[in-house]
Amino acid sequence: MRNAQAKSRTEAIRAEFADYLTDFAKALDVRLDGKQRLQLSGVSIGRGSEGPRALLAYYLAFLNVSASYSSCVQCPIVIDAPNQQGKDRTHMPAMMKLMIEKAPEASQLIIGAEDQYGLEDDDIEIIDVSGEKDHVLRLEQFDRVAEVMRPYLGLLT
């Protein structure tokens, strides 16, 4: 416990986080406070499309630092509809590229997006989950899936 709480370890974690966040924010065209003011507990978020980009930079920095300093198994990273607040043609491809290239190495990254935004087929694996137009779930599988999930749903009551 003493090693985990050592001041030098805390400073190293904060410095690595600030380095990641600074690099990721620069790649996504996000303005940040001075490097010495960056905190693990949150980031000052810009307005408009800069907000989601700032959050992405923050979360990727946090996940990378967590992967560096933790022995825990990394959970899958799921990003649904990264095109929030209508990114322009410059920022959306940069966001997709950053997610693919800078997610922690041992993690699984799942992006729910309606477009590849400049990524090539060789860079990613595309899984089409649509069954019908404007539907993700498949009606013919409902009963089978519901039967599997029913015992777990009963535990929630």
Side-chain angles (χ1 to χ4, degrees):
M1 270 317 257
R2 207 168 282 156
N3 289 339
Q5 295 177 338
K7 185 176 180 180
S8 61
R9 183 174 190 269
T10 301
E11 289 172 0
I13 290 171
R14 287 184 177 150
E16 186 173 334
F17 172 77
D19 288 344
Y20 275 124
L21 184 55
T22 301
D23 290 346
F24 297 162
K26 184 176 181 181
L28 296 177
D29 190 27
V30 171
R31 295 165 287 175
L32 292 176
D33 291 337
K35 195 172 183 177
Q36 67 279 6
R37 295 184 59 206
L38 299 177
Q39 299 290 319
L40 279 160
S41 59
V43 64
S44 177
I45 298 171
R47 296 181 152 202
S49 70
E50 191 175 18
R53 294 193 323 269
L55 285 174
L56 177 60
Y58 170 79
Y59 288 130
L60 283 176
F62 188 89
L63 290 167
N64 274 282
V65 170
S66 294
S68 294
Y69 288 90
S70 174
S71 60
C72 295
V73 174
Q74 299 296 308
C75 62
I77 301 166
V78 180
I79 300 174
D80 186 26
N83 193 21
Q84 298 293 314
Q85 299 181 4
K87 309 292 162 293
D88 58 45
R89 294 180 188 262
T90 302
H91 292 121
M92 197 59 223
M95 289 176 68
M96 294 294 278
K97 182 179 178 188
L98 189 73
M99 286 185 276
I100 297 296
E101 293 179 355
K102 301 300 182 178
E105 196 171 310
S107 64
Q108 177 186 23
L109 176 65
I110 301 167
I111 303 171
E114 59 278 352
D115 194 311
Q116 289 178 235
Y117 299 106
L119 295 176
E120 301 296 325
D121 289 348
D122 294 341
D123 298 329
I124 55 177
E125 179 181 353
I126 298 173
I127 301 171
D128 183 359
V129 295
S130 62
E132 297 179 38
K133 182 175 173 49
D134 300 326
H135 292 261
V136 173
L137 303 177
R138 294 187 173 98
L139 293 175
E140 69 275 6
Q141 293 181 2
F142 179 82
D143 291 332
R144 184 173 61 90
V145 172
E147 190 61 35
V148 170
M149 296 304 295
R150 198 165 277 116
Y152 301 106
L153 295 173
L155 295 173
L156 297 174
T157 58

